[in-house]
Amino acid sequence: MNIKTQTLAYLTDKTGKIYETLVIQRKDPQADVDAMVAEFHVRRDLVVDGLNAIPGIRCRRPQGAFYVFPNVSGTGMTGGEFADKMLYEAGVSLLAGSAFGRVGVDHARISYANSQSNLRRAVERIADVVARVGVA
């Protein structure tokens, strides 16, 4: 990690007071960005891989953003029906893909801007509901 040091010195004034030095260490801001990008890749992969393991759901791996847009038509539900069922039966909030137009009718939008443990739990809950319902 690259740490930059900045020194601020207050010079001796006319009365002979000694100067004070303040040293501030700043981390390279790009290192923080790189760490968050890596973390979001882990979260994305956790959600995509988890959803793709559920029969009836197909999910592409997005290259940006904080969302996945899985096709849920293999479950026998539209994106709206799927979103409602996940909210009421799994306690998982997601958005019907139809909010993005006709192309999203068979999809749902799921954010992965959450902790890994919460995302893992959400995918497990989705899997449990889909298993109970069965696939079309």
Side-chain angles (χ1 to χ4, degrees), residues 41-61:
H41 283 165
V42 170
R43 294 175 190 185
R44 175 202 62 197
D45 293 345
L46 186 154
V47 172
V48 170
D49 294 343
L51 291 173
N52 281 328
I54 301 171
I57 298 178
R58 295 185 325 270
C59 187
R60 292 184 179 178
R61 195 169 313 276

Side-chain angles (χ1 to χ4, degrees), residues 122-136:
V123 170
E124 289 168 358
R125 289 178 179 183
I126 291 169
D128 289 346
V129 171
V130 171
R132 279 198 315 269
V133 171
V135 293

Side-chain angles (χ1 to χ4, degrees), residues 65-80:
F66 309 115
Y67 308 98
V68 294
F69 201 61
N71 183 310
V72 299
S73 62
T75 65
M77 294 177 268
T78 65

Side-chain angles (χ1 to χ4, degrees), residues 62-123:
Q63 298 304 306
F66 309 115
Y67 308 98
V68 294
F69 201 61
N71 183 310
V72 299
S73 62
T75 65
M77 294 177 268
T78 65
E81 293 166 339
F82 185 83
D84 286 346
K85 186 166 283 296
M86 293 308 123
L87 179 61
Y88 294 115
E89 294 184 27
V92 176
S93 179
L94 47 95
L95 187 63
S98 58
F100 301 95
R102 200 173 314 166
V103 70
V105 169
D106 291 330
H107 294 77
R109 186 175 85 160
I110 302 172
S111 170
Y112 53 88
N114 209 311
S115 70
Q116 289 183 40
S117 62
N118 283 344
L119 294 170
R120 196 172 290 108
R121 191 167 36 245
V123 170

Side-chain angles (χ1 to χ4, degrees), residues 5-40:
T5 302
Q6 182 179 35
T7 303
L8 304 174
Y10 297 97
L11 301 176
T12 305
D13 67 11
K14 291 180 185 179
T15 62
K17 291 183 184 174
I18 57 174
Y19 70 92
E20 297 176 25
T21 302
L22 174 64
V23 176
I24 302 172
Q25 291 187 338
R26 295 180 292 140
K27 290 191 289 183
D28 179 8
Q30 188 60 44
D32 292 334
V33 172
D34 293 343
M36 277 311 304
V37 168
E39 174 62 23
F40 275 106

